[in-house]
Every structure is written in structure tokens, then in C-alpha cells.
Amino acid sequence: MNLKIKIQKFGGFLAGMVIPNIGAFIAWGLITALFLDSGWLPNEDLATMISPMLQYLLPFLIAYTGGRMVYDQRGAVAGVVAASGAIFGSEIPMFLAAMILGPLGGWVMKKVDKVLDGKIKSGFEMLVNNFSIGIIGLILAVFSFYVIGPVITGLTNVATAGINSLIDVGLYPLLAVIIEPAKVLFLNNAIDQGIFVPLGSAEILEHGGKTLFYMLVSSPAPGAGILLAYSLFGRGTSKKSAPSALIIQFFGGIHEVYFPYVLMKPLMFFAIIGGGIAQIVVWVILNAGLAGYPHPGSIISFLIMLPRGGAIPVLLGILAGVAVTMLIAAAIIKLDRSVEEDEDTSLSDDIGEMLGVKNDVNDETAASDDNRNDTMRSWKTSEINKIIFACDAGIGSSAMGSGILKKKVQEAGLDIQVENSAIDSVNKDVRVVVTHTKLYNRAKQAAPKAVIRTVDSFLNDPQYDILVEDLKEGEVKDENK
């Protein structure tokens, strides 16, 4: 497994703990934006909920979810108790500790139960089961209180000091050099949920009001600038398809739709980095920030999480990000004359097809992953009762894709469920998985028995219709491109 896939899997695991609890983050963000003394509707009594929710509720939810991911309910309980030591023993929100201790508690509980399996005398099962959780929880809680909590506090202080030093010397915008390419390579969850969300939450708890950290990865500006440049200055199918993608990306917060537009012209990495730097410069100068975590990363989420009086700084930063990205991307498009409009790249053709734009170029595209030459798998339609549409975090792009596919399956009169899932949480026994091309290897590892179909975008890719036709004909095989 290469390093990129390992990082993607790590980011997906982190997202698997955070994403199911996003509703709680939004509730906390709204309460903060409304009732803080600097909020829209200041209320001293209701504002007393802000700190406990951030300090205790949200980390406990993450720990519970992490433990449950590893070992169901018993793992969830063990994970929460394990994380309690660090959470109660620290003055900063222990999100990272919860992400470590929740799964750790579940893993230890799973191992202990495996050792005890078959060795408990009849009638003592409940006693042993309950006390085993209690004893394991006690040990891990003490360990997390004296070890994990202080270590996480120290690391958080170091990270905060490092970022503050960048601010002091005017280098904060250089974070965009890491953030923007990482997003296109599906590493956004690892850096956002693993680094910036915990730092942002700690900053709000300490200083109140708002934080810039919530905006760094979630901003739709660089992606919107890319799509706007293609809409105005692109050629062929990329020009026709970009406006539809722009609406979905900017207003729907589904960032994955702009990734192919960057990847088909690698120089576009400079455009998104430039736009990312521009927006951060404006935000730092104007002291911009959000009161809550915006998820998904759409302009609508940003508007909802604005602190009182904070609209202009945030929106000017987004405008700067869009404008600079668009100008750099437009220059790249204008200067790149190596491909004529009627000979647009195959990736550009795919973009047009997946967005429902007719493409007059009749090129056949082959699977680019050499690992796909393994033994072909197939399932009869009668053996398939569920199709899983998977993305990195299991929300957003896969929810949109599963909705499109579900409608087509229903219209075809097929009695098959279509569900969305995080790719690393796909059941190993599932028989058909649909995912993004770049997630193929992870899908194959997660579901080794499944027929895997990939799309180049989560929009209306031709693969949806191909899959439905195969189902109607009675058999689904590995990709037939």
C-alpha cells in the first residue's frame, strides 16, 4: 500500500469519527454564533452551554463513534471511558485524544473479549462482561489522564505556536501550498478533521467568537475559481460542463467535482495554490473567522456560521480566492495551445459526459490502474441485493452519487438497494461497489469480493447507465470500459 493510500485511509478513519457527528458541531456553532456576547442574539444564560458542549459533548461523541467503529457498542463504551481521563483532565478540547482513545478503547476491549471467549462459566457472563469494561475503562482512563492528555496538550501548544509564528512573520498564507494540492488528492479529511478543526475549536474556547482555522480547508473559493475559468475561457466539453459543476461545488459544497479540472492540466495546481494564498492573506489582514465549522464547504455553510459583524472580511477573502484562482487558471488555459478544441483530452471528454454534456469526440478510454488486471469478478443480478456508493468520508459526494444511481435503479424496476458509505467502512461481503477512480485500490481492499465500478466524477457519469444496463441483462462484471 503506497503512502498516499495510507494517508487517505487515515483521513477516512478520522472523518468516520467526525462526520457522523457533524450535526452536533453545527448545533454548537449555531449556539456560539447566536448567543455568545459577540453573537447575533447575545444571551448570557444560553451562552453557558458553549464551553461544556465544546469541552465535553463533542469529544465524547467522537470517542463513542471511534470505539463503535472498532467494536460496536462494547467498544463505544470502552472508548468513551478511556477518553474521559484526557477530556476531564485538560483545559482544552480533547478532539485528537478522543480520536486516539475512542478506537484504542474499542480495540483493547475487542482483544480482551477474544481472550475471554469460551472461558467464562455459565451464569457469570453478564458479571464478567460488565466488569471487564469497567476494569479496562479504569486503566485506560488513568493512562489517558496522566499520559495522553498532557501529550496532546503539549502537541497542540506546539502546533499553535508554530502557526502563530507563521502569522507573526507573515507566512501564514503558505499553508495553502499544502492544503490546496492535498484537497485534490483526497487528503482533505486528514488535515481538516485531524489538525484544523481541533485547533479552531481550542481557539474559540480560549478567545471566543471566531476562528480562521475552520475556513482553511472548507473554503469553496479555489475550486470555484477553477470552474469559473473553464466556464469563461475553456474549450470543448470542459467549457460546456464547468457551469454545472460550479453550481454544485460552490453552493452544494461538493468539492470533488472540480478535481478532474485540475488534474487534466497539472499547472492548475498553481492556480488553486495562488487562490488559497490570496484568500488567507485577506482573511489575516481583516481578522476574519467563522463561529462554527462549515460542513459541507459551501458558501451557504459559510454564511450560516458567520459571527456578528464578520460577513465582509470572510466574503472578501472568498472573493479574492475566486478571483486570483480564476485569473491564474485563465492564463494557463490561454497559454496552453498544445491541444486543439476538437482534440480535447480524454479526461476533458469524460468530464463532459459525466455532467450530461454531449461529446462529439468518439475516443475510448482505458482503465489507467495496472492493478485492475487481476482476476475478473462477477455477480448475477439475482445475487445482488445492495449496491454501495462509496467516497472518502461517506457523506456529500457519495450521497449525491447514490441518489443519482438509486433513481436510475428504481426507474429500471430493479429491486436493489443503493446506499452510500465511507469507503473504509464498506462491508467486506458487499457485491457491488461504485466509487471514484482514485479510490479504486482502497475499494478493492475494503471489499475484496465486490465488483467495483468507478466514475471520474460523482455526477452523472456514463458508468451509472452502464451498470444499470448490466443489471438488467442479468450479470455485473468488473469494469468494462
Side-chain angles (χ1 to χ4, degrees):
M1 187 187 302
N2 62 42
L3 179 61
K4 187 180 81 170
I5 292 178
K6 289 181 179 179
I7 297 175
Q8 286 178 348
K9 287 175 69 67
F10 175 68
F13 188 77
L14 292 180
M17 287 185 273
V18 176
I19 296 299
N21 299 305
I22 283 295
F25 276 84
I26 291 174
W28 172 79
L30 291 173
I31 290 171
T32 302
L34 290 173
F35 304 130
L36 198 67
D37 55 2
S38 59
W40 295 95
L41 300 171
N43 187 302
E44 185 176 349
D45 293 332
L46 294 177
T48 59
M49 295 189 294
I50 296 173
S51 180
M53 289 180 71
L54 180 62
Q55 187 87 22
Y56 306 119
L57 174 64
L58 298 179
F60 276 130
L61 283 173
I62 290 172
Y64 180 91
T65 306
R68 190 177 182 87
M69 289 169 63
V70 174
Y71 192 43
D72 296 327
Q73 182 64 23
R74 285 177 63 77
V77 175
V80 168
V81 178
S84 65
I87 293 171
F88 289 129
S90 176
E91 296 181 357
I92 65 173
M94 284 281 109
F95 290 109
L96 185 55
M99 291 178 182
I100 296 170
L101 293 162
L104 176 62
W107 180 82
V108 172
M109 196 69 254
K110 184 176 182 179
K111 293 299 181 181
V112 170
D113 281 355
K114 186 175 181 179
V115 171
L116 295 175
D117 187 32
K119 299 177 183 178
I120 304 173
K121 291 185 178 182
S122 180
F124 287 86
E125 291 86 357
M126 183 177 292
L127 180 67
V128 173
N129 287 341
N130 287 337
F131 269 85
S132 61
I133 290 182
I135 294 170
I136 294 301
L138 165 66
I139 295 171
L140 290 178
V142 172
F143 173 72
S144 69
F145 185 93
Y146 284 113
V147 179
I148 300 297
V151 169
I152 297 300
T153 299
L155 291 175
T156 300
N157 291 337
V158 169
T160 303
I163 292 174
N164 287 336
S165 66
L166 288 178
I167 297 174
D168 294 337
V169 297
L171 297 179
Y172 201 151
L174 291 183
L175 288 171
V177 176
I178 299 173
I179 292 170
E180 299 307 328
K183 287 172 64 176
V184 177
L185 296 175
F186 289 88
L187 305 178
N188 51 313
N189 289 314
I191 57 177
D192 201 17
Q193 273 99 40
I195 300 173
F196 293 119
V197 171
L199 288 177
S201 301
E203 184 176 50
I204 286 182
L205 184 63
E206 183 177 354
H207 302 293
K210 61 189 178 183
T211 179
L212 175 61
F213 292 124
Y214 284 159
M215 303 191 292
L216 296 177
V217 179
S218 297
S219 173
I226 290 289
L227 295 171
L228 189 58
Y230 274 104
S231 298
L232 298 175
F233 308 106
R235 297 173 300 206
T237 55
S238 60
K239 178 180 178 69
K240 297 175 185 177
S241 62
S244 300
L246 176 61
I247 294 172
I248 293 172
Q249 188 268 345
F250 195 66
F251 294 100
I254 310 299
H255 290 204
E256 287 87 346
V257 298
Y258 82 84
F259 297 171
Y261 295 84
V262 176
L263 294 171
M264 72 174 165
K265 292 183 185 294
L267 285 176
M268 288 297 178
F269 279 104
F270 290 104
I272 57 176
I273 289 172
I277 291 174
Q279 68 181 3
I280 295 175
V281 167
V282 173
W283 285 336
V284 171
I285 292 174
L286 299 180
N287 190 29
L290 293 181
Y293 180 45
H295 190 88
S298 84
I299 188 62
I300 296 173
S301 298
F302 270 63
L303 293 174
I304 292 174
M305 293 303 177
L306 285 170
R308 188 175 63 179
I312 292 178
V314 171
L315 294 179
L316 284 178
I318 290 177
L319 181 61
V322 172
V324 172
T325 303
M326 186 197 71
L327 290 174
I328 297 174
I332 292 171
I333 293 172
K334 289 289 186 181
L335 292 173
D336 183 8
R337 300 300 182 186
S338 60
V339 181
E340 297 298 329
E341 180 174 341
D342 60 349
E343 295 177 343
D344 214 352
T345 64
S346 60
L347 181 53
S348 179
D349 298 336
D350 290 339
I351 291 172
E353 292 175 2
M354 70 193 178
L355 290 171
V357 178
K358 184 179 179 181
N359 182 7
D360 295 328
V361 182
N362 188 24
D363 292 333
E364 294 183 0
T365 60
S368 60
D369 194 327
D370 294 336
N371 292 326
R372 300 184 191 197
N373 295 326
D374 54 359
T375 303
M376 294 289 288
R377 287 157 292 193
S378 66
W379 290 99
K380 299 292 185 183
T381 301
S382 58
E383 299 173 314
I384 301 169
N385 55 21
K386 182 183 294 185
I387 298 172
I388 296 296
F389 204 118
C391 70
D392 189 48
I395 192 171
S397 50
S398 63
M400 177 178 65
S402 66
I404 295 171
L405 182 58
K406 182 184 294 184
K407 183 178 179 181
K408 291 180 178 292
V409 169
Q410 291 175 344
E411 290 175 347
L414 297 167
D415 186 20
I416 299 174
Q417 291 180 299
V418 181
E419 299 177 358
N420 59 296
S421 169
I423 194 161
D424 296 317
S425 299
V426 173
N427 189 298
K428 291 186 180 298
D429 294 324
V430 72
R431 296 180 176 180
V432 179
V433 174
V434 182
T435 190
H436 191 277
T437 302
K438 286 188 170 294
L439 301 176
Y440 175 84
N441 284 336
R442 289 171 64 187
K444 188 168 65 171
Q445 292 171 3
K449 299 179 182 179
V451 168
I452 299 170
R453 295 294 180 88
T454 63
V455 296
D456 291 306
S457 171
F458 293 100
L459 294 173
N460 194 21
D461 193 284
Q463 185 59 236
Y464 296 145
D465 292 327
I466 294 172
L467 175 57
V468 171
E469 286 302 315
D470 289 345
L471 289 167
K472 289 166 65 176
E473 291 177 6
E475 184 178 15
V476 177
K477 298 180 180 179
D478 270 332
E479 288 194 307
N480 51 353
K481 289 191 174 183

